Amino acid sequence: MRFIFLLASLLVGCGSTTPTPATEPSGGSGSSVTRPTDPRCPDPAPTPTATCVQDCGPPVVRDGDPPPPFRWATEEDVAKRAQFGCPRCLDATVRIATPTGERLVSTLGLGDEVFTEDARGNRVVAPIIRVTRVGVPATHRVVAVTLEDGRTVRVSAMHPLATDGVIGNLGVGALLDGSLVTELRLVVPVGGATWDLLPAGETGHYWANGVRLGSTLQ
């Protein structure tokens, strides 16, 4: 079963709003159609069930980028946004495997060496070629994943796995990096920001708190 209980909580963190309804003629039938209005979204709303939401922006939003605009979203779009959230990265408490030991992701920079995976599945050392820090609103949540072997990691729902899919697709009993998921919880990210990095090489994979993950920057 997928991580469906992310729905309500993550929707709040992605800029959804409660629109004000507006009534307009339906076109000669004598009845009227109520469509939502919101000053942040262009009028008119495309459908009576549309919701004004703020775009997540590019796949990775960097410090200094302008805030993404608001737009009208369909019920289907809102459901997808609620389930998976905006693309964010790692919690500041996550430690990345490096040749000199695990280091907090927030302390790593360009050129620092980390462990990654080559195309044949070998664990190798490579320098970081991209790194990003993304500020998040107070309402944002990351997923605290606990594995049967004791490993835990805090990461956003849309963060890519080293295999196909994203963290938000996992459920209790799913397999992640060779161990079963035993718990999934929504938690507040530490420090008001999330982080990600990209090591050089074919895969972009790295180990976060001992868990092999993909990179949003790949």
Side-chain angles (χ1 to χ4, degrees):
M1 180 177 180
R2 291 185 177 183
F3 193 23
I4 300 301
F5 66 85
L6 285 171
L7 291 175
S9 300
L10 287 179
L11 177 59
V12 175
C14 288
S16 64
T17 65
T18 302
T20 301
T23 302
E24 61 183 44
S26 62
S29 64
S31 60
S32 60
V33 176
T34 300
R35 294 177 183 267
T37 63
D38 190 296
R40 291 171 293 185
C41 279
D43 290 329
T47 67
T49 58
T51 302
C52 185
V53 300
Q54 188 173 24
D55 273 338
C56 291
V60 177
V61 181
R62 296 173 177 81
D63 289 342
D65 285 352
F70 285 80
R71 64 178 177 84
W72 291 110
T74 65
E75 289 180 289
E76 181 181 6
D77 287 341
V78 170
K80 288 180 180 179
R81 172 80 69 85
Q83 183 176 355
F84 297 115
C86 292
R88 306 291 187 196
C89 310
L90 305 172
D91 188 82
T93 62
V94 169
R95 293 181 174 273
I96 304 299
T98 81
T100 58
E102 291 190 337
R103 289 181 55 185
L104 287 171
V105 64
S106 57
T107 67
L108 293 170
L110 295 176
D112 288 339
E113 291 188 329
V114 298
F115 284 112
T116 185
E117 187 177 37
D118 67 18
R120 296 169 296 283
N122 299 315
R123 186 173 167 116
V124 296
V125 175
I128 295 173
I129 58 174
R130 293 182 68 185
V131 65
T132 186
R133 173 189 179 277
V134 180
V136 295
T139 51
H140 187 67
R141 298 293 182 267
V142 293
V143 185
V145 183
T146 301
L147 301 181
E148 189 175 42
D149 61 12
R151 287 177 292 169
T152 63
V153 65
R154 295 185 173 199
V155 60
S156 60
M158 276 299 285
H159 195 91
L161 304 172
T163 54
D164 291 337
V166 296
I167 288 290
N169 285 342
L170 298 176
V172 172
L175 191 65
L176 175 59
D177 195 26
S179 185
L180 297 179
V181 175
T182 59
E183 185 181 35
L184 296 160
R185 293 183 297 114
L186 292 174
V187 297
V188 178
V190 173
T194 54
W195 303 77
D196 204 10
L197 59 94
L198 177 64
E202 300 105 329
T203 67
H205 298 167
Y206 52 76
W207 279 265
N209 287 4
V211 180
R212 184 172 58 108
L213 294 174
S215 172
T216 61
L217 305 176
Q218 176 73 345

